[in-house]
Amino acid sequence: MKTLAIHGAEDIRWEDREIPEPGPGQVRLRVAYVGICGSDLHYYFHGANGEYTIREPLTPGHELSGTVDLDPSGRLAAGTPVTVHPARFGPAAPGLEAHPHLRAGGDYLGSAAADPHRQGGASEYLVVDEHMVRELPEGLPLERAALAEPLAVALHAVGLAGDVTGARVLVVGAGPIGLLVAAAAVRAGAATVAASDVRPEPLERARALGATETFLVGTDAVPDESFDVVLECSGVGVALTQSVRAVRRTGTIVQVGMLPNTEIGVNLAPLLAKEVTLRGAFRFSDEIDDAVTMLAASDALDSVISHAIPAADAVNAFAIARDSSASAKVLLSL
């Protein structure tokens, strides 16, 4: 079989590997599509994602769809369309009963956090634990189903903000995750969903998904204290400072974008006087099931997918995915 492997910064190869055999409690999938995520971009362009450095060839990809190739248990028939919950949670820990995704000791597809690395889904065949597999409803295209994982991240983030029914919500950063967060906020009943970004093209995409206000950073000023909830999706320190200014008194900020693992300049002083709640968002627990339901109900999120490029052309695919003017969500087809 063929698989993608990142060997270091800007060194990705389309390699031959042996087809893996599933063991007890495992299922082999024939992968169809894999989304390129921000962490994948970091691994490819920098050889590291935050503190996690590539120490051996890493197959990227945790956003995927495909079909069952072999289920030794016989429960899933060959050809069954599926997506995958990419996490294996760590052992139970006191206080985290409702938050299994926060337990220590787990892993995630396509991650260099563990040694050896947890290989990802950008491979023609992939073996996963049976409990990670999610069957797709009839009529849900495999291409759209590849959005299930990032949509689950978005649903989790909006859920952390609490009840947003009738609220004014600002999404900072209209990249793929920001677009899905905006769509999730609309679905959750927000009265107004606004988006800000440094480029006009992502803002146009946000409007297509229900954003009724947009702010072009550097041109349009976001009024202070004008939003009940702000979801920061860019992972840039200055954007967090803007979020603190934009949220109203006693409002809520959810930090969705991955901030760099270093000291950064952020002005949090207004947070105190306004008694703002600042929450971090990390992946998700079981929201992928709700994401699959949402994707099956409508084709509205098809517009989030801007490109589907053969995995053999990964260098081009990663270059396009890095350019937010030219792309939204880029999928690798296998």
Side-chain angles (χ1 to χ4, degrees):
M1 71 171 188
K2 288 288 190 177
T3 189
L4 283 177
I6 301 174
H7 288 251
E10 298 193 52
D11 181 4
I12 191 167
R13 307 175 195 176
W14 187 228
E15 298 182 339
D16 290 308
R17 299 279 175 85
E18 293 292 325
I19 296 177
E21 292 297 327
Q26 294 184 319
V27 178
R28 186 170 69 204
L29 308 180
R30 178 64 174 91
V31 179
Y33 295 99
V34 173
I36 297 177
C37 175
S39 61
D40 302 321
L41 291 174
H42 283 296
Y43 282 131
Y44 172 62
F45 285 105
H46 308 297
N49 179 38
E51 62 183 309
Y52 306 129
T53 300
I54 291 177
R55 298 178 296 280
E56 64 182 8
L58 174 69
T59 297
H62 53 261
E63 309 171 0
L64 65 123
S65 64
T67 55
V68 172
D69 183 65
L70 176 62
D71 179 2
S73 75
R75 185 180 72 85
L76 295 171
T80 301
V82 297
T83 187
V84 172
H85 191 312
R88 295 188 297 192
F89 300 137
L96 295 178
E97 291 81 5
H99 310 281
H101 60 296
L102 300 182
R103 299 174 189 164
D107 62 19
Y108 217 70
L109 289 177
S111 172
D115 191 10
H117 300 337
R118 178 70 163 128
Q119 300 299 325
S123 182
E124 290 181 322
Y125 293 92
L126 175 70
V127 169
V128 296
D129 293 348
E130 184 180 38
H131 67 84
M132 300 168 71
V133 177
R134 300 293 190 274
E135 294 183 58
L136 300 180
E138 185 176 353
L140 175 54
L142 289 176
E143 188 169 328
R144 189 190 310 157
L147 293 175
E149 192 275 349
L151 179 57
V153 171
L155 292 170
H156 180 70
V158 172
L160 288 172
D163 185 2
V164 300
T165 304
R168 284 179 53 78
V169 174
L170 172 64
V171 178
V172 178
I177 284 292
L179 293 174
L180 293 171
V181 166
V186 170
R187 179 176 184 256
T192 298
V193 175
S196 68
D197 201 276
V198 296
R199 298 177 184 271
E201 296 87 356
L203 296 179
E204 293 173 9
R205 300 181 193 116
R207 282 194 174 275
L209 292 171
T212 54
E213 298 179 25
T214 55
F215 301 93
L216 182 61
V217 175
T219 300
D220 306 320
V222 179
D224 291 352
E225 301 190 27
S226 54
F227 290 94
D228 304 301
V229 173
V230 180
L231 296 120
E232 202 297 294
C233 299
S234 72
V236 178
V238 68
L240 179 54
T241 295
Q242 177 62 66
S243 300
V244 174
R245 293 179 183 144
V247 73
R248 66 163 170 81
R249 294 167 189 267
T250 72
T252 298
I253 300 169
V254 180
Q255 182 63 42
V256 187
M258 293 295 289
L259 294 166
N261 185 37
T262 186
E263 294 184 12
I264 57 175
V266 177
N267 182 6
L268 298 180
L271 183 145
L272 280 71
K274 294 196 288 185
E275 295 194 357
V276 169
T277 298
L278 174 61
R279 299 198 64 170
F282 184 69
R283 297 176 181 166
F284 58 92
S285 176
D286 58 4
E287 287 88 349
I288 196 166
D289 300 309
D290 193 18
V292 168
T293 299
M294 184 174 170
L295 291 168
S298 168
D299 63 359
L301 294 181
D302 284 356
S303 63
V304 175
I305 301 170
S306 60
H307 297 77
I309 298 172
D313 193 17
V315 171
N316 180 46
F318 274 79
I320 292 173
R322 192 186 201 185
D323 183 354
S324 63
S325 294
S327 69
K329 173 59 67 179
V330 175
L331 303 181
L332 298 167
S333 59
L334 290 112

